[in-house]
């Protein structure tokens, strides 16, 4: 079994009387996009800050490529890039000057780095604005440059904390393109967002954190299996044989909602619908209404945490 690029073991962190992390353990494989969801105050930013070496845990440990990691491990910190929720840019500097400044913090410079700098600006769609002050940029442009600043030292692990917050659709799409390009190039990414559809579209595995605890961590299909799908239908000429036939379907739970409306709970809506239609036809029941409802990430999140993502 390969060693995970990032491994978190029993992390705990308390601020005054608030327990921000309460024994969080998880891992992220090399080359994976790992999604992290949680309500405000759940502990996501604290977890990312510890993983980035910006904050020290009270107990537990973090490993990067199998090696113990902490705030004073400068060599391993160079392998991590972080895009914070708050913009980390200098408005009076140009886009190129911002990237050059962050590169100098890592001891980077020279002709090779200047070529790398142009590649970054091109990747985030700002090559033609390289010599414009960041204070003149739109919010979406600043978000794209914020991502670029995290890439100057070519990290192995990229931490993205709400990277698309408040951006326009064009900038969001450009950020998605770059994140997917980085992933295809082998970069490992931890992605937090308030937008469920982003996490669902980008991430191969998803962790859900609440009250400082990791309450679920799995692939999207397995998380969706925690909730059943539903098929609601109305039919005329319903006979007792129809109910008997429906009750014989494997993995299906049948309920009569009112005199005319039935509901099936099933773990596989696409597989169950044609079986339902076949049984109705067999018993001469004519459907007058058919609705399907499949679980999604938002419904699973609400089921596990009991509240919305922005609460």
């Amino acid at each position: 079994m390969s060693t995970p690029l990032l491994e978190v073991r029993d992390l705990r962190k308390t601020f005054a009387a608030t327990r921000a992390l309460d024994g969080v353990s998880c891992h992220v494989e090399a080359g994976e996009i790992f999604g992290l969801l949680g309500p405000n105050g759940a502990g996501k930013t604290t977890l990312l800050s510890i993983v980035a070496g910006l904050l020290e845990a009270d107990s537990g440990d973090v490993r990067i490529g199998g090696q113990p990691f902490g705030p004073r491990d400068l060599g391993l910190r160079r392998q991590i890039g972080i895009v914070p929720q708050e913009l980390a840019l200098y408005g009076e500097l140009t886009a190129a000057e911002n990237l050059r400044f962050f590169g100098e913090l890592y001891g980077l410079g020279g002709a090779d780095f200047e070529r790398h700098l142009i590649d970054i600006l091109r990747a985030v769609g700002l090559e033609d604005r390289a010599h414009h002050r960041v204070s003149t940029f739109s919010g979406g442009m600043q978000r794209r440059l914020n991502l670029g600043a995290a890439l100057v030292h070519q990290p192995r692990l990229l931490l993205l904390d709400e990277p698309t917050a408040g951006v326009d659709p064009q900038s969001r799409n450009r950020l998605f393109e770059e994140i997917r390009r980085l992933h295809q190039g082998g970069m490992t990414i931890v992605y937090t967002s308030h937008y469920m559809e982003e996490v669902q579209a980008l991430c191969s595995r998803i962790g859900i954190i609440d009250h400082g605890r990791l309450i679920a961590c799995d692939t999207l299909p397995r998380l969706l299996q925690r909730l059943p799908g539903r098929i609601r239908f109305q039919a005329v000429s319903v006979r007792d044989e129809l109910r008997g036939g429906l009750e014989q379907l494997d993995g299906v739970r049948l309920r009569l909602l009112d005199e005319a409306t039935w509901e099936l709970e099933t773990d596989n809506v696409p597989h169950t619908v044609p079986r339902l239609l076949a049984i109705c036809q067999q018993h001469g029941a004519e459907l007058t209404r058919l609705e399907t409802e499949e679980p999604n990430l938002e419904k699973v999140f609400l089921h596990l945490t009991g509240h919305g993502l922005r609460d």
Side-chain angles (χ1 to χ4, degrees):
M1 183 179 294
S2 61
T3 300
L5 180 61
L6 169 64
E7 190 171 7
V8 170
R9 300 178 179 178
D10 197 28
L11 278 190
R12 299 177 187 273
K13 183 67 179 179
T14 300
F15 299 100
T18 302
R19 185 170 294 176
L21 296 178
D22 189 12
V24 172
S25 298
C26 63
H27 72 276
V28 181
E29 299 291 344
E32 181 178 25
I33 304 184
F34 180 84
L36 186 63
L37 292 173
N40 287 338
K44 303 187 303 297
T45 297
T46 300
L47 177 59
L48 288 189
S49 297
I50 293 172
V51 169
L54 303 175
L55 190 64
E56 194 160 8
D58 295 337
S59 62
D61 65 281
V62 176
R63 292 176 177 266
I64 303 294
Q67 300 181 59
F69 170 68
R72 288 171 289 278
D73 296 310
L74 299 182
L76 288 177
R77 284 185 70 170
R78 292 178 64 94
Q79 299 184 30
I80 302 170
I82 182 167
V83 179
Q85 189 170 346
E86 300 297 328
L87 292 170
L89 301 169
Y90 294 92
E92 294 308 304
L93 299 181
T94 67
E97 288 170 341
N98 267 276
L99 297 187
R100 198 171 291 118
F101 168 78
F102 287 109
E104 288 173 356
L105 294 179
Y106 289 95
L108 302 173
D112 287 343
F113 177 71
E114 289 297 318
R115 284 190 287 271
H116 176 53
L117 183 153
I118 295 301
D119 288 341
I120 291 175
L121 290 171
R122 184 181 299 113
V124 297
L126 293 173
E127 184 180 14
D128 61 338
R129 302 297 294 268
H131 305 296
H132 292 229
R133 286 187 179 184
V134 170
S135 59
T136 67
F137 287 7
S138 68
M141 294 165 65
Q142 291 184 21
R143 285 285 176 188
R144 282 146 54 193
L145 185 61
N146 210 37
L147 171 61
L151 302 175
V152 293
H153 59 300
Q154 298 177 290
R156 295 175 65 196
L157 173 63
L158 182 63
L159 310 176
L160 302 176
D161 191 4
E162 301 285 348
T164 64
V167 306
D168 58 275
Q170 181 181 4
S171 288
R172 178 176 285 124
N173 289 337
R174 191 60 186 253
L175 285 167
F176 284 177
E177 290 174 5
E178 180 59 9
I179 290 167
R180 289 190 174 102
R181 186 190 70 81
L182 293 168
H183 175 235
Q184 291 169 1
M187 186 172 289
T188 306
I189 299 169
V190 176
Y191 190 99
T192 76
S193 177
H194 275 123
Y195 301 106
M196 295 280 189
E197 67 275 11
E198 294 183 3
V199 174
Q200 191 161 334
L202 291 171
C203 302
S204 54
R205 283 193 309 127
I206 300 163
I208 298 176
I209 189 170
D210 194 22
H211 298 297
R213 291 179 174 271
L214 193 71
I215 59 175
C217 184
D218 217 326
T219 63
L220 178 63
R222 289 180 178 174
L223 286 174
L224 296 182
Q225 288 174 4
R226 291 173 177 249
L227 290 179
R230 290 181 170 84
I231 304 170
R232 295 185 184 91
F233 68 96
Q234 293 179 343
V236 296
S237 303
V238 175
R239 294 178 294 186
D240 291 341
E241 291 85 352
L242 173 64
R243 183 180 190 119
L246 295 174
E247 288 176 341
Q248 295 302 311
L249 289 173
D250 294 333
V252 170
R253 294 159 294 282
L254 177 65
R255 290 195 302 161
L256 182 61
L257 299 182
D258 56 43
E259 292 183 357
T261 306
W262 303 67
E263 181 179 86
L264 295 178
E265 283 192 354
T266 173
D267 295 331
N268 192 331
V269 170
H271 180 63
T272 304
V273 167
R275 296 161 69 199
L276 164 65
L277 296 177
I279 290 174
C280 287
Q281 184 177 26
Q282 177 184 347
H283 295 287
E286 180 184 351
L287 291 183
T288 58
R289 178 185 172 195
L290 178 67
E291 297 177 351
T292 62
E293 177 184 305
E294 296 195 63
N296 57 32
L297 186 56
E298 182 174 6
K299 291 174 183 174
V300 172
F301 183 89
L302 289 168
H303 172 71
L304 292 173
T305 66
H307 42 62
L309 192 55
R310 291 191 177 275
D311 289 351

